[in-house]
Amino acid sequence: MTDTLAAYSLLLAYSAMAVYAIAFVMYVLDLSRRTGTAEAAAVARTPASTTAAAGARGGTALLERVGTITSRVAESQSRSVNKATRFQRTAFALTIVAAVVHLGAIVLRGLAADRGPWANMYEFSLTGTGIIVVVFVVINLWRDVKFLGAYITGFVVLLLGLAVTNFYVAVTPTPPPLQSYWLYIHISVAMLATGFYAVGGGLSIVQLLQSAREKGRLAKWRFLQTFPSSASLEVMASRLIIVGFAFWTFTLMAGAIWAYHAWGRYWGWDTKEVWTFIIWVVFAGYIHARATRGWRGTRSAWLAIIGLAAVLFNFTIVNLFFQGLHAYSGLTTS
């Protein structure tokens, strides 16, 4: 029964990957469509201004009327730039479908293991990517950040593909130190924090691109005209990162308590503990710098991206190449 449930879980994981990949293509087509719409709006504004200038120089009433009509057309096209395209609506619907299939894979893996499905690298990848997508979908109830869809689905397809091809292991008994209710508390909150960090980091990446466009660079990336301003992106990113930081702080504290119950000490300078603390310091520095030093714009965005890179390093390199008490990847013996 265990092997059967695990096999169905893996099948659903592959299915979710396929749907995410289709959604990714739809999001890219949406960006392409927005590029064309932005170019059309830019072209439409040019004759409007030219015609209006001709009218100001004493042109005929017909020219003035044509200028008014052209101006209205330009305004209508400009408003349409920011509307959701059918590609984006389709992509977001597919993202939700994929998330449901993904959730099924997580549940079946948990049933197969008879525990929380995050005791090794494969399970953590499976569940963590699912949480990232859920966070992304829920955030859209607060702010429309569907323009991050290509980033989120591409990121998830990459991590899920890495998990099923390189990290997959059969269901095994839980190691003694993990046989604790802290497995559910500590790890689940860490993954939730990672979800907020991932979306916040994506907003920071877009912020850098938008800032470059606003300064006259990346002028050919016209789809950025349909995104919020760099200032708005920074505000959204900072709020999500603050939420992620709160969850990460709890993760650090819960990990120390769990370490005391498992190994008889709160802190032991284990590699995983050190990198968890480094991530906390980076994002604490991000929040502190914005609050007291007035770090705004590109500097704060780079700090957020460095923090996200540290999270990914902690999950991949530290788990795969460093030995320690937290060596539970399932790929090597501890």
Side-chain angles (χ1 to χ4, degrees), residues 210-227:
Q210 187 68 291
S211 177
R213 188 195 68 82
E214 292 169 352
K215 293 176 181 177
R217 302 188 295 273
L218 300 182
K220 294 183 178 180
W221 293 24
R222 294 191 179 274
F223 66 87
L224 291 172
Q225 296 178 16
T226 69
F227 290 5

Side-chain angles (χ1 to χ4, degrees), residues 250-267:
F250 181 84
T251 298
L252 192 62
M253 296 169 60
I257 296 172
W258 190 6
Y260 178 78
H261 287 287
W263 302 304
R265 88 289 188 280
Y266 291 103
W267 190 264

Side-chain angles (χ1 to χ4, degrees), residues 6-42:
Y8 280 124
S9 171
L10 184 60
L11 177 62
L12 288 180
Y14 276 113
S15 301
M17 280 179 56
V19 182
Y20 282 132
I22 297 172
F24 172 78
V25 173
M26 291 292 106
Y27 281 120
V28 172
L29 290 174
D30 169 62
L31 295 178
S32 176
R33 173 67 175 174
R34 287 171 180 271
T35 298
T37 306
E39 290 175 349

Side-chain angles (χ1 to χ4, degrees), residues 4-333:
T4 301
L5 290 174
Y8 280 124
S9 171
L10 184 60
L11 177 62
L12 288 180
Y14 276 113
S15 301
M17 280 179 56
V19 182
Y20 282 132
I22 297 172
F24 172 78
V25 173
M26 291 292 106
Y27 281 120
V28 172
L29 290 174
D30 169 62
L31 295 178
S32 176
R33 173 67 175 174
R34 287 171 180 271
T35 298
T37 306
E39 290 175 349
V43 170
R45 284 193 293 269
T46 302
S49 59
T50 304
T51 307
R57 290 193 300 268
T60 63
L62 178 60
L63 285 176
E64 292 179 355
R65 182 171 180 79
V66 170
T68 301
I69 294 174
T70 308
S71 178
R72 289 175 180 175
V73 171
E75 291 175 0
S76 175
Q77 290 179 329
S78 180
R79 286 194 300 269
S80 68
V81 167
N82 295 317
K83 290 183 178 180
T85 68
R86 67 179 183 276
F87 292 119
Q88 187 187 80
R89 292 192 294 269
T90 302
F92 191 67
L94 287 172
T95 302
I96 294 175
V97 171
V100 173
V101 177
H102 196 161
L103 179 62
I106 295 169
V107 170
L108 289 182
R109 181 70 183 197
L111 291 174
D114 195 26
R115 53 166 167 72
W118 46 70
N120 52 58
M121 286 268 305
Y122 170 71
E123 294 174 358
F124 188 91
S125 301
L126 178 68
T127 307
T129 50
I131 289 179
I132 289 174
V133 176
V134 170
V135 168
F136 168 69
V137 171
V138 172
I139 286 173
N140 274 281
L141 301 177
W142 168 61
R143 289 286 191 277
D144 186 358
V145 293
K146 297 183 187 69
F147 54 84
L148 287 179
Y151 158 78
I152 293 294
T153 52
F155 186 67
V156 168
V157 167
L158 180 63
L159 286 182
L160 265 183
L162 188 65
V164 298
T165 57
N166 293 285
F167 298 160
Y168 184 81
V169 292
V171 175
T172 55
T174 307
L178 297 185
Q179 295 175 6
S180 168
Y181 59 87
W182 286 106
L183 173 67
Y184 299 92
I185 300 173
H186 174 67
I187 305 299
S188 60
V189 175
M191 289 188 292
L192 191 58
T194 301
F196 280 95
Y197 283 155
V199 180
L203 287 170
S204 296
I205 293 171
V206 177
Q207 176 194 337
L208 289 177
L209 298 176
Q210 187 68 291
S211 177
R213 188 195 68 82
E214 292 169 352
K215 293 176 181 177
R217 302 188 295 273
L218 300 182
K220 294 183 178 180
W221 293 24
R222 294 191 179 274
F223 66 87
L224 291 172
Q225 296 178 16
T226 69
F227 290 5
S229 66
S230 60
S232 298
L233 290 167
E234 182 179 359
V235 170
M236 286 191 287
S238 65
R239 290 177 179 176
L240 295 179
I241 288 172
I242 288 173
V243 175
F245 179 75
F247 285 126
W248 197 260
T249 301
F250 181 84
T251 298
L252 192 62
M253 296 169 60
I257 296 172
W258 190 6
Y260 178 78
H261 287 287
W263 302 304
R265 88 289 188 280
Y266 291 103
W267 190 264
W269 297 104
D270 184 72
T271 306
K272 196 75 171 177
E273 294 172 345
V274 171
W275 271 98
T276 301
F277 182 67
I278 289 174
I279 293 167
W280 186 90
V281 170
V282 171
F283 283 110
Y286 168 88
I287 296 171
H288 178 75
R290 294 189 78 257
T292 63
R293 293 292 182 181
W295 277 36
R296 296 291 189 273
T298 57
R299 289 188 295 183
S300 65
W302 277 115
L303 262 181
I305 293 170
I306 290 171
L308 178 59
V311 172
L312 295 176
F313 182 87
N314 184 43
F315 168 64
T316 55
I317 304 301
V318 172
N319 280 348
L320 293 174
F321 299 105
F322 290 85
Q323 295 298 316
L325 292 173
H326 292 78
Y328 300 120
S329 68
L331 304 176
T332 57
T333 58

